[in-house]
Amino acid sequence: MNRIRLIVGEDDFLVSEAAKRFIGETASVEVVDSISSTNADLQMRDLAAVAESVATPPFLDPSKATWWKNVGFLPQGGNKGPSEDVKKALEAFAAKLASSPLPDNQLFVITAPRLLATSVFAKKMKTVAEVVVFSEGKPWEKNAAAAARAVDAAAELGLRFEGGAVDAFVARVGSDARSIFSEVAKLRDYIEPGAKTITNADVAAVSSPGVGCEPEIWTVTDALGERSAARALSALAPFERESGFAVLATTVIEKFFRTLAVMKDAQEHGALEDATKGMSPFAARKNTGFLRNWTLTELRRARADFVALRERAVTSTDGMDSLVVAAVARACRRPGEGGRR
């Protein structure tokens, strides 16, 4: 087993759990935490402490690990990363690790949010350490990884998501691993004793936005896709306080209805697969599900309404916010519920 590991990733939970698994049952663990080391003096202090710990074998304990965590000053490229002095010290430290292998009863792990893979430090560390990188990836890759993580977390608790529920869960909770595990545990406590399936209704009832999940405009379009006026107006409310609300809302909603109209037309002509090329798999599945709630005529009419509203919003803000809210409510009406639809 390689006795040195460098673990890199923005998700602190994933990174920390990976470090804990690597350390395992090691008898003694010395931790140097650099989370507050924001200047060169503190960074050089931490590096010296780490070097001393790594160079000191265990005495009374049979084994020892050194964990250097939250190292936010590894080389990152551009104007980010450490000062020149700290960078050179990091490179010298990596070279020393390569020339002085650790004994069998010692481990060393570095955890950091970011690292430039082409940096001298990274290249030297790759010669002596196993480097693990938790990559963010593209948005749909990130969503897919989060969905897989949620499914695994549920399975560990003897649960499973019903069709589509895991996508709804990720859309609401986000991709932060700690939030995913916490919210799955909440669902376990919420559903009926003995129940094994997490439903869309369960997710809607108890799941909360995770770390870094601020209100997003797609919460409005998702509610519109489901044709739920209550949810759409609730999702729209946080944005009404923002400057330029009418222009933002009408632009995003018009584009959403345009996309659904193109997909609905393609679906009716047996060409839906062609219409979804270039979309992320997550968005394609979600939007395809929305199509059942709309006729092509309704989608085209709704789009035309928001095109007209956007043109007005660009030239005048007087009363536009209330007109947008009314248009959202009107768009959600189904035939027979009143109004002109």
Side-chain angles (χ1 to χ4, degrees):
M1 180 182 96
N2 197 313
R3 312 205 67 74
I4 302 176
R5 189 160 297 180
L6 172 57
I7 306 172
V8 180
E10 299 277 0
D11 194 315
D12 176 67
F13 181 80
L14 287 181
V15 169
S16 295
E17 289 299 305
K20 291 173 185 176
R21 287 194 297 272
F22 174 66
I23 292 169
E25 300 299 321
T26 304
S28 172
V29 181
E30 293 184 4
V31 177
V32 177
D33 192 342
S34 291
I35 193 167
S36 300
S37 299
T38 56
N39 61 54
D41 289 342
L42 294 175
Q43 292 162 6
M44 293 291 278
R45 179 206 64 186
D46 289 353
L47 179 53
V50 168
E52 181 180 358
S53 176
V54 171
T56 305
F59 291 109
L60 300 178
D61 293 311
S63 59
K64 170 186 173 180
T66 300
W67 181 0
W68 192 11
K69 65 191 301 186
N70 296 312
V71 190
F73 50 88
L74 297 186
Q76 297 166 35
N79 295 324
K80 299 179 179 179
S83 67
E84 192 63 26
D85 287 345
V86 174
K87 184 170 71 170
K88 292 300 183 184
L90 285 167
E91 292 168 3
F93 176 61
K96 187 172 182 180
L97 288 173
S99 65
S100 305
L102 291 182
D104 290 343
N105 63 345
Q106 276 189 254
L107 297 174
F108 175 44
V109 58
I110 303 174
T111 55
R114 295 167 295 278
L115 173 64
L116 179 65
T118 56
S119 66
V120 173
F121 174 78
K123 290 177 180 177
K124 288 185 175 182
M125 287 300 297
K126 286 178 182 177
T127 67
V128 69
E130 180 178 347
V131 179
V132 178
V133 178
F134 290 99
S135 176
E136 291 292 300
K138 296 178 180 178
W140 55 88
E141 294 170 338
K142 192 174 177 180
N143 285 337
R149 195 168 295 127
V151 168
D152 289 344
E156 289 180 6
L157 299 176
L159 304 173
R160 66 178 183 84
F161 286 90
E162 74 173 7
V166 70
D167 289 338
F169 176 84
V170 170
R172 175 167 292 200
V173 174
S175 59
D176 174 72
R178 193 185 305 274
S179 299
I180 288 173
F181 284 94
S182 173
E183 291 298 316
V184 168
K186 276 173 56 179
L187 285 165
R188 175 204 58 198
D189 295 337
Y190 171 79
I191 63 177
E192 292 291 330
K196 299 295 183 183
T197 302
I198 299 170
T199 68
N200 280 282
D202 296 331
V203 171
V206 299
S207 296
S208 305
V211 173
C213 269
E214 299 297 330
E216 298 285 354
I217 195 68
W218 53 256
T219 59
V220 178
T221 54
D222 279 0
L224 281 169
E226 293 292 348
R227 216 157 176 172
S228 169
R231 281 182 52 211
L233 295 176
S234 175
L236 198 63
F239 299 97
E240 292 182 58
R241 298 184 291 271
E242 300 293 331
S243 175
F245 159 75
V247 174
L248 169 67
T250 53
T251 298
V252 171
I253 294 172
E254 182 276 324
K255 180 181 178 181
F256 173 71
F257 280 124
R258 178 177 7 122
T259 299
L260 287 195
V262 169
M263 290 178 63
K264 187 73 174 183
D265 185 52
Q267 185 183 57
E268 292 183 357
H269 290 86
L272 182 58
E273 186 175 343
D274 292 336
T276 57
K277 284 181 180 177
M279 279 187 194
S280 74
F282 175 74
R285 288 197 307 272
K286 183 167 65 172
N287 288 342
T288 299
F290 293 152
L291 297 181
R292 66 179 180 271
N293 299 317
W294 299 87
T295 67
L296 182 57
T297 299
E298 288 169 337
L299 289 169
R300 287 173 172 168
R301 184 179 294 155
R303 185 203 167 195
D305 285 348
F306 283 94
V307 167
L309 277 175
R310 184 180 59 193
E311 291 174 355
R312 290 180 61 181
V314 169
T315 58
S316 173
T317 59
D318 292 343
M320 286 306 304
D321 290 4
S322 59
L323 290 177
V324 171
V325 171
V328 167
R330 185 169 61 249
C332 292
R333 288 197 195 112
R334 297 177 184 272
E337 291 183 344
R340 63 189 178 95
R341 295 183 188 280

